[in-house]
Every structure is written in C-alpha cells, then in structure tokens.
Amino acid sequence: MMRKVFWLLSLLFVAIATPQEAVDWSSLVEKYSPAVVTLVAADATDIVQGSGFLISSDGKIVTNFHVIEGKPMLLARRQDGSFLNILQVLAIDRENDLAVLQAEGRNLPFLPLGDSEAVKVGEAICVIGSPFALEGSVSTGVISAVRELRGGRKLLQITAPVSKGSSGSPVFNRKGEVIGVVSFFLSEGQNINFAVPVNTLKALLEKMRKGGPLTVPLDPVSLLNEALQVAKSIEIALRRSWALEDIAEAMAKAGMWEQALQVAESIEIALDRSSALSSVAEAMAKAGVREQALWKQALQVAKSIEDAYLRSSALRSVAEAMAKAGMLEQALQAAKSIEDALDRSLALSSVAEAMAKAGKWEQALQVAKSIEEAGFRETALKCAAKAMAKAGKWEQALQAAKSIEDASWRSLALEDIAKAMAKAGVREQALWEQALQAAKSIEGAGERSWALRSVAEAMAEAGVREQALQVAKSIEGAGDRSSALSFVAEAMVKAGMKEEAQRVFQQALQVATRSIKDALFRSEALRSVAEAMAEAGVREQALWKQALQAAKSIEIALFRSWALSSVAEAMAKAGMKEEAQRVFQQALQAAKSIEDEEKRSLALSSVAEAMAEAGMWEQALQVAKSIEGAGDRSSALSSVAEAMAKAGVREQALWKQALQVAKSIEDEEKRSWALRSVAEAMAEAGVREQALWEQALQAAKSIEDASWRSFALSSVAEAMAKAGKWEQALQVAGSIEDAYWRSSALRSVAEAMAKAGKWEQALQVARSIEDAYCRSSALVSIALAMLEKEGKGR
C-alpha cells in the first residue's frame, strides 16, 4: 500500500470532529458486494493482493495503481468464488493512485459513481473490501476531513478501518454511491485512512472516453495475454493457428514457459502446433531452462500430436533443445524414442554435437557412430570434430574427421578444423602436416581440391604463408587453385609482403584465365581474384590490365558482361574510379550486344547492381531504366535502391529518379513491388523530404487495379512509419480500400511506432485494427519490441 506521508505536510487542515451516527448498511452491502472483487497481482518473484470494484457491465474494474504496479499477471476473484481474467490495463493515474482494468466478461454487476464534491465532513460512509484477503469485509465510519493538496488535488480522510489488502476498496455514501477509492492509511495513527475522491476517477474515465493520451503501464505479459484473447476470436482456423503460434513463441521469449506451452498445445492444426512447440523449446534451450517439469510438459505436448511424421518432428525439436540446454542424458533418451528414422537420426546428431561441445568427446563419438542414416552419421561426426577443434583438441579432431566415410563430409570437416587452427594461430608444422595428409587422402578430385584449398587458406591466415603457397600451387582443380592463391596473396598483403603478393595474384589470374575452360566458372574465378585484389588494395595497373584482358577474353557475352562488371566494381572499391567507369561501359556494351531479350535484361540488371555497389548511383539508375523486362527492371531498381539506402544517400534528385524508374514499369504488380522497394529504401536512408513522399504516394494511387493499389499504398504507409512520419502514415493506411491491406498497413505503423518506443500510440493503433489476426500480430510485435528494449528477450 502507498505510504505517502509527505502528502500530509502539504495538507490544509479542515477536519471537523463529529460523533459517528448509527446506520444500517446491511441492504447496501447485500446489493453491492457482488460488484466488489479481490485482485491478485503477481510477477516472477512476488504476489500481492488488493481490492477493486466493477464500474461497468462489460468488465471495467477500478483499483489503486500501487496494487498492480510492476505486476504483469493479474486476476480478479469475485465473492462467489469465480474468477475474472484481466485482459489489459486501460489507463492509470500514477499521481492519484488509480488504475482502470479491463476484465473478461459480460452482464456483470457494477457500482454507481457519486459526486465527491457533494461530500460533507461528518457524513457516514461504508467500505467493502478484502483486507488480508478476507473477502467481503465491511467497515464503517465517517468522512473525518477533506484534505486539499498542492496543485488542486484532494484526498478524503475517513475513519472506517482499513488494513493491508483494502487498497482499491470502494467508499460508499448512504445512497449506495461510490464517493471514493481507498488508497492508504497511516500505521502510526488510529483510523487515519485516506481515499481518492471519485470525481478524480470520473475525470480519468472522461479522458478515456475522449480518447486522450493515457499513461498505461505497458508490459509485454499483459499485451501477450490481450493478444491471446484476440487470437482466440479469429474464426478462420488456419489464421487462428498462425496467430497462436506467434503468441506462443513471443511468450517463450518473455520467459512465460508454462503459458507458452499451453498456448502451443491449444493450436488445432498439427503442423502449426509442432512448429510452435519447436519455437518454445528453442527459447527454453536458449535461456538455459533446466526444470524437469517444463521439459516433461514439452515432451507431452509433442507426444500428443496425432500425425506420426509431425510427432517425430516435434519430439526431435524438443530433444535438440534439451541437448542445447545441457540436459544431455534426457535429450539422448528423448531422441532414441523417436519413431521416424530420419528425425531420430537428426536428433541424435544434435545430441552428439551438444555432447562434443560439452567436452564429452568419447560419448559424442559413440552417439554419432550409432546413427543409422549415413548422411546424418557423417554430419554428427563432422560436428563432433569441429567441436573438438574449437576446444583445441587438434589430434582428436583430425582422427574424428578421418573416420568419416563420405569424401565430401570429410573435406568439410577438415575445412572446419583448418579454420579453427588458423583462428587459434597454430604454427606447429606437425599438426599442419597431419591436416595436409588428411586432405590429400581424400579420393574424389573435387573434394580433395576443396580440402586442400581450405588447408592452404587456413595456413595463410595462421601466418604459415610459404607452406600455404606451396599447397595452393599443388591443388588440381583450377578454380580452387585460383581461389587459394588469391587468399594467400591477400594474406601476404596484410603481412606487408606486397611484392610477393603481386606475383601470387598474377599466378591466380593466370590460372583463372588459362586453366578454367568453362566460361561461367572462369567468370566466377575472375570475380574472386578481382575482389581479393580490391580487398588487398592492389593499385598496380599491370595486374588490373591482366584481369581486364581475362574478362574480355570470355566468349559468351552474358558471362563477359558479368566478369567485366565484377572487375569494374572491384576497381572502384580499390579507389580506381575513372578506370572503373571505363570498364563498366565495356560491360554495358557486352550486355547490350546480347540478342536474347531475357538474357540481355539479366546482364543489364547485373551491371546496374554492380554500379550501385560501386557507388555510381545515377549511372546505375539509368541502366536499370533501360531494361526491357519489367521483372528484371523492378529487380534491378530494388537492388540499386537498397544499395543507395545502405550508403545513406539523401540526394533528392537521385530518389526522384528512382521513383520515376518505378513509375515507368508497365506491369502493375511489378510496379507495386518496385514502389515498395524504393519507399522502404527511402525510409532506411532517412529521407524526410515531403515532396518525395508525396510523389511515392501519387505513384501508388495511380495504380488502377484495386488490390495492387492497396498493396502499394500499404507499402508506402509502412515506409512512412519507418521514416517517423506517423501522422501521414496513419492517414495513408486509413485510406486503403481493401480491409485486409488496411489492417496490414496499420499493423506495420503500430510495429514501427513500437520500435521507436512510442508505446501508447502503438497500442492505440493496434487496438483500432479491424482484422483480428493483424490486431493480434500487432500486439505481439509491440510486446516483443518492449522485451528487446528492456533487454528481457531470451
């Protein structure tokens, strides 16, 4: 209960002592007690109890703010023993210690509100409440004083006895009207108790009626409970399942494990129930939950799924989550109980990996080797080897890798080990020799080349550069050899060995140019070498000339265009802007020379994207605009806009040009998607110029098809909200004809507001959404945004 003793220092004393007259309150008590409730408020560590009373037949309850403060879980118990579920907190007034709650229910009894301005000192009063959880307790007394506080606020001083748990009790006059709400008492005095005048409550209710800003104690748990009630009202089973799945996952992130599992279990559609259970189990694992009862409940939910395939999938998810949570033995037993061999193998693979990460090497290998499905057995052994390598158990890791039968998986396992060795800075020759021998022992030429490349790159990263160069040169596969040489050269540049690096880059280019016969692979190899040269800051004209000649030598125009674009982009990144411009023109010419329209559009799209990545925005937009195919033009424009946003481009002329390109797309579906991309990019780049947003809006409105127009307007509204243009976003969203897209747009606005920390506005928008699925989704998004803000998301 509140103990604002300091208030008494500001009181203007107007007390008048009068003898208490005898009044028979029995009829009033009998009539109005059913509308008085006991409130239970709880959080993860504490439970408090107070009183409250109903003021409407649809379940609005009044209590003190301090009763519910910081307590997300609320429940109201009526005097007949029934409970009312609290759906949400509608409003609070911290200063006056008032809170208005919304309970679930209809046709409920409620109390009439009187006029506290008409109260007279000395008049008889009655209080009904639940002191010390003693429901329906009645005490009587008089108004002993009306205390005026600073700022025009008032308190009623009463003599009716109140105790802990009486907070929120109604104070009645003889007419049966509520004239006050019990707030606090002075424990040092005798029957010196205080109530908030009912007119203060009426002012709060009027503010609610007019839709004014209310200080609501938003908390994720209350919002998720509200979302749950909305989700249950969704008529279409599929959408109801989707909404419940989202809520179960969000509840798990909020640490509401038991409720999350209950919601997951209530989902009708088995596939969604399995998916929800997987999300909850994953969140439990992430949070390190080890309570046996919760995991037992999760297993029961999984076992309750009728479909055998989905049941196996759900059990696998739970077993994997248990393993991640460190409950290895229980996870192993759960995995072994799975009917489907594929899911059983997957689960055992995850358990083996978890055991290896926990340092239980022998047990991990035993579990891995016991897996029936060969592919998953190899995966488990690879994961065990990787975990061993991360722990610095190099020899054991290499032995585990060697035990893998499949050449591809053995190659991948060696790659993991080599990377771990490089990261740890291992320089022992003997260990690298072991890794090298393991790579050389792989039968398949492609897999062997891959493994040797991985070892060479790792050696270079670990500073064993000379040996790395020798290994790179020995690789059979030209593509892998070229890639490994580039990596070694880049490592040499980082080590200050620029001259040596140039020679190695030259070798890499020669391999890419002369040894790779396939035009596509040659183009890709050139891209890799050029990117490595740019990353290393190579400026030597001779090397770039060699890369350019190699690109030009590619016979197929499409691949030639790709290769030239890659070289030009790399040149630009290396600071050679003028040279890059010339090479881009050559790439553009190669693209335009392609006769097939589809391939030509694809090539031009690649050139536009490469130009954008190189920061050549205007040229990129011009190329995008020249593309004939509507789909490729839309795709290219999206890529350019995304690159502009990533670079924080704010120039109006460029964004205006981007919007014009979008408007030029004939196909309404593609035009809608293009507008969406540009609008989202404008928001991400922080564009706030009203003229540009108006142009985007007009472009959306110009779409003839109602469905695509609604989609485009929804996209613009969403982007406006992300850019912080709340009012305009709401206006656009509200103007959308299609009910679903209108709801979807409002949901996006609410989510954007929540991400910006505008909780109350977000909640008001969310509650105004017509479509129940979108409304539930918006409430969940607000709750998740709050969890993220508070750092409570698990």
Side-chain angles (χ1 to χ4, degrees):
M1 295 183 73
M2 291 177 54
R3 283 182 280 272
K4 298 184 178 178
V5 181
F6 67 91
W7 280 358
L8 298 180
L9 300 176
S10 64
L11 296 178
L12 184 63
F13 185 78
V14 292
I16 302 175
T18 58
Q20 184 176 344
E21 60 180 295
V23 179
D24 183 1
W25 297 97
S26 58
S27 298
L28 181 147
V29 171
E30 184 179 1
K31 183 177 180 180
Y32 291 122
S33 283
V36 180
V37 298
T38 301
L39 278 166
V40 180
D43 58 19
T45 59
D46 188 28
I47 299 175
V48 298
Q49 171 267 319
S51 303
F53 56 95
L54 287 152
I55 58 168
S56 66
S57 62
D58 65 352
K60 288 184 179 64
I61 294 176
V62 172
T63 187
N64 290 142
F65 169 64
H66 76 265
V67 171
I68 66 161
E69 183 177 14
K71 299 292 185 288
M73 290 171 274
L74 304 172
L75 196 65
R77 176 183 166 93
R78 300 174 65 191
Q79 290 189 21
D80 63 3
S82 63
F83 288 92
L84 296 175
N85 186 31
I86 304 298
L87 301 179
Q88 65 188 90
V89 180
L90 294 174
I92 64 166
D93 181 344
R94 292 172 186 267
E95 195 173 26
N96 290 299
D97 195 28
L98 291 174
V100 183
L101 317 178
Q102 180 64 60
E104 187 178 21
R106 293 181 182 176
N107 302 317
L108 297 168
F110 61 93
L111 303 181
L113 304 181
D115 179 7
S116 52
E117 286 299 313
V119 166
K120 294 180 180 178
V121 175
E123 74 171 273
I125 52 101
C126 170
V127 174
I128 305 176
S130 305
F132 296 104
L134 298 170
E135 296 173 349
S137 296
V138 178
S139 62
T140 61
V142 298
I143 300 290
S144 59
V146 177
R147 302 294 184 184
E148 294 185 6
L149 311 176
R150 289 174 185 168
R153 292 166 53 229
K154 292 182 179 180
L155 281 177
L156 304 179
Q157 184 178 329
I158 61 175
T159 63
V162 298
S163 303
K164 186 177 181 181
S166 296
S167 294
S169 299
V171 180
F172 295 93
N173 62 15
R174 281 188 289 187
K175 296 178 186 177
E177 298 169 333
V178 176
I179 56 170
V181 183
V182 172
S183 181
F184 69 103
F185 63 89
L186 294 184
S187 57
E188 296 83 1
Q190 192 152 7
N191 291 339
I192 303 178
N193 312 312
F194 295 90
V196 180
V198 78
N199 285 11
T200 304
L201 169 63
K202 288 162 80 173
L204 180 62
L205 295 173
E206 180 63 16
K207 195 176 180 183
M208 284 173 58
R209 189 184 68 80
K210 291 181 177 178
L214 303 170
T215 308
V216 179
L218 294 171
D219 65 88
V221 175
S222 296
L223 288 176
L224 291 174
N225 284 327
E226 182 180 347
L228 181 58
Q229 298 308 316
V230 175
K232 287 178 179 177
S233 72
I234 298 172
E235 293 180 5
I236 300 171
L238 181 61
R239 299 186 85 209
R240 184 167 61 248
S241 289
W242 289 348
L244 289 170
E245 184 181 347
D246 289 343
I247 291 165
E249 187 174 350
M251 283 180 164
K253 287 181 179 177
M256 301 164 64
W257 314 117
E258 197 168 346
Q259 299 97 312
L261 287 166
Q262 288 170 357
V263 172
E265 191 173 16
S266 72
I267 296 172
E268 300 122 293
I269 297 173
L271 178 62
D272 294 319
R273 184 156 77 250
S274 175
S275 177
L277 176 61
S278 176
S279 298
V280 175
E282 183 70 27
M284 286 167 63
K286 193 175 179 183
V289 172
R290 296 182 69 90
E291 285 86 346
Q292 292 280 355
L294 282 170
W295 287 111
K296 187 177 180 182
Q297 188 180 348
L299 284 169
Q300 286 172 347
V301 175
K303 288 174 181 176
S304 72
I305 296 172
E306 303 80 19
D307 183 90
Y309 170 74
L310 293 173
R311 183 168 61 250
S312 291
S313 178
L315 282 167
R316 186 195 80 212
S317 298
V318 175
E320 288 174 346
M322 289 172 86
K324 286 179 183 176
M327 303 179 69
L328 300 175
E329 288 304 320
Q330 299 93 320
L332 182 58
Q333 294 309 312
K336 286 179 177 178
S337 73
I338 297 170
E339 303 147 271
D340 183 80
L342 185 64
D343 282 312
R344 184 166 62 250
S345 294
L346 269 169
L348 286 168
S349 175
S350 296
V351 173
E353 184 179 355
M355 284 175 166
K357 286 179 179 176
K360 296 179 178 291
W361 317 118
E362 290 304 318
Q363 199 174 353
L365 288 172
Q366 284 175 5
V367 172
K369 288 174 181 178
S370 74
I371 297 170
E372 305 117 292
E373 293 286 330
F376 295 115
R377 183 168 63 250
E378 310 288 36
T379 305
L381 287 166
K382 172 188 172 292
C383 291
K386 185 178 180 179
M388 288 172 177
K390 280 188 175 180
K393 303 285 183 182
W394 312 117
E395 290 191 19
Q396 296 95 315
L398 286 166
Q399 289 304 314
K402 284 179 184 177
S403 71
I404 298 173
E405 300 159 51
D406 183 83
S408 297
W409 284 109
R410 189 154 76 251
S411 174
L412 289 169
L414 281 169
E415 180 182 12
D416 289 336
I417 296 167
K419 283 180 178 177
M421 287 168 68
K423 194 174 180 181
V426 172
R427 297 181 69 92
E428 285 88 343
Q429 289 288 344
L431 282 172
W432 285 114
E433 189 60 36
Q434 277 191 59
L436 193 55
Q437 290 307 314
K440 286 179 178 178
S441 70
I442 295 172
E443 299 81 21
E447 290 85 356
R448 184 166 61 249
S449 291
W450 180 278
L452 285 167
R453 189 191 89 179
S454 300
V455 173
E457 291 177 356
M459 290 171 95
E461 192 177 340
V464 189
R465 285 177 288 274
E466 286 303 319
Q467 297 92 318
L469 181 57
Q470 295 308 312
V471 174
K473 286 179 179 179
S474 72
I475 296 171
E476 301 147 271
D480 286 318
R481 184 160 76 252
S482 175
S483 178
L485 287 167
S486 296
F487 197 95
V488 173
E490 195 176 338
M492 286 176 165
V493 171
K494 288 177 182 176
M497 302 164 64
K498 289 201 172 183
E499 289 184 14
E500 295 91 332
Q502 284 186 46
R503 286 196 294 271
V504 177
F505 271 128
Q506 193 170 17
Q507 292 174 40
L509 281 169
Q510 287 173 353
V511 172
T513 307
R514 299 173 187 173
S515 303
I516 302 174
K517 305 303 179 190
D518 184 271
L520 174 60
F521 290 133
R522 187 156 75 251
S523 174
E524 282 301 309
L526 279 169
R527 173 195 283 272
S528 298
V529 178
E531 285 179 352
M533 285 165 63
E535 189 71 29
V538 172
R539 300 289 298 254
E540 283 66 23
Q541 290 289 339
L543 279 173
W544 286 110
K545 187 177 179 181
Q546 190 177 346
L548 185 56
Q549 289 304 318
K552 284 180 178 178
S553 70
I554 296 172
E555 303 83 13
I556 301 171
L558 176 61
F559 298 152
R560 183 165 68 251
S561 172
W562 285 353
L564 286 166
S565 294
S566 299
V567 173
E569 184 184 339
M571 282 177 148
K573 287 178 179 175
M576 304 167 68
K577 292 281 184 184
E578 289 184 15
E579 294 88 339
Q581 291 263 18
R582 288 195 292 271
V583 179
F584 269 127
Q585 287 305 313
Q586 294 174 35
L588 198 53
Q589 287 171 5
K592 286 178 178 177
S593 71
I594 300 170
E595 292 182 11
D596 183 86
E597 183 185 319
E598 188 178 339
K599 290 179 179 176
R600 184 168 62 250
S601 292
L602 184 60
L604 287 168
S605 180
S606 296
V607 174
E609 289 174 22
M611 283 178 163
E613 287 295 330
M616 299 165 64
W617 317 116
E618 196 168 350
Q619 298 95 314
L621 286 166
Q622 286 172 358
V623 173
K625 191 175 183 179
S626 72
I627 297 171
E628 298 115 302
D632 286 318
R633 193 181 333 152
S634 176
S635 175
L637 176 61
S638 297
S639 298
V640 174
E642 189 178 327
M644 285 166 65
K646 194 176 177 183
V649 171
R650 301 288 292 270
E651 285 87 346
Q652 285 197 51
L654 284 171
W655 287 112
K656 187 176 180 181
Q657 192 177 344
L659 284 167
Q660 285 171 349
V661 177
K663 286 167 72 176
S664 73
I665 297 171
E666 302 80 18
D667 183 279
E668 292 198 326
E669 178 183 348
K670 303 292 190 302
R671 184 156 81 249
S672 297
W673 280 108
L675 277 169
R676 180 183 184 89
S677 299
V678 175
E680 286 179 345
M682 284 167 62
E684 191 178 336
V687 173
R688 296 192 62 83
E689 284 73 14
Q690 186 60 30
L692 284 171
W693 287 109
E694 283 296 331
Q695 192 175 341
L697 185 57
Q698 291 309 313
K701 285 180 177 178
S702 71
I703 295 172
E704 293 175 22
D705 182 86
S707 297
W708 286 113
R709 183 169 62 250
S710 293
F711 170 74
L713 286 167
S714 171
S715 300
V716 173
E718 183 178 343
M720 284 175 165
K722 286 179 179 176
K725 303 176 82 65
W726 314 116
E727 290 303 319
Q728 197 173 356
L730 285 171
Q731 287 174 3
V732 174
S735 73
I736 297 171
E737 305 111 297
D738 183 89
Y740 171 76
W741 284 116
R742 184 167 60 250
S743 292
S744 178
L746 287 168
R747 174 182 62 186
S748 297
V749 175
E751 289 171 353
M753 285 176 163
K755 285 180 180 176
K758 295 183 175 293
W759 312 119
E760 291 182 16
Q761 298 96 313
L763 187 55
Q764 285 179 350
V765 173
R767 287 175 178 161
S768 73
I769 296 171
E770 304 146 85
D771 181 83
Y773 173 74
C774 289
R775 185 163 70 252
S776 171
S777 178
L779 290 166
V780 169
S781 295
I782 296 168
L784 289 173
M786 293 182 72
L787 284 169
E788 188 177 343
K789 191 85 171 178
E790 296 169 8
K792 292 181 180 176
R794 291 169 167 81

